[in-house]
Amino acid sequence: MTLKITNDFNLILNKDDYQAFVASIDLLSLHCPVCGAVDFFILYGHYTRFVIIDDLSSGECKIQIHVQRIQCTQCKSTHALLPTNFVPYTQFTYLFIYYITR
């Protein structure tokens, strides 16, 4: 399952932006979407994902990030931390999809 987190960053354009996004998250304030527990998340590894970003002017439109996973120690469910502009289970951001469909 993915946890969509509202981020204060305008765009995530590289892996450093994503790492700063993850570092800004207070794990103790997150609610588990499965059991509803609060203050029970721990870091639980990561997986590699390619993301096609919105900023095509930089020449690099595809970036590789390590998506942080977390686990609820109450119900043992695991979740991926994604910023709100990433579309779960795809390589695209919402803004990129908007640009190509309008």
Side-chain angles (χ1 to χ4, degrees), residues 26-73:
D26 178 16
L27 292 180
L28 301 178
S29 67
L30 296 179
H31 291 55
C32 178
V34 175
C35 70
V38 179
D39 193 17
F40 286 98
F41 280 113
I42 59 171
L43 297 179
Y44 193 72
H46 66 272
Y47 64 90
T48 301
R49 174 177 173 175
F50 287 97
V51 179
I52 298 175
I53 59 174
D54 326 337
D55 182 22
L56 300 178
S57 63
S58 68
E60 287 290 325
C61 64
K62 192 177 199 180
I63 61 171
Q64 180 180 352
I65 61 170
H66 298 289
V67 176
Q68 181 65 56
R69 296 199 50 80
I70 57 175
Q71 182 183 43
C72 175
T73 56

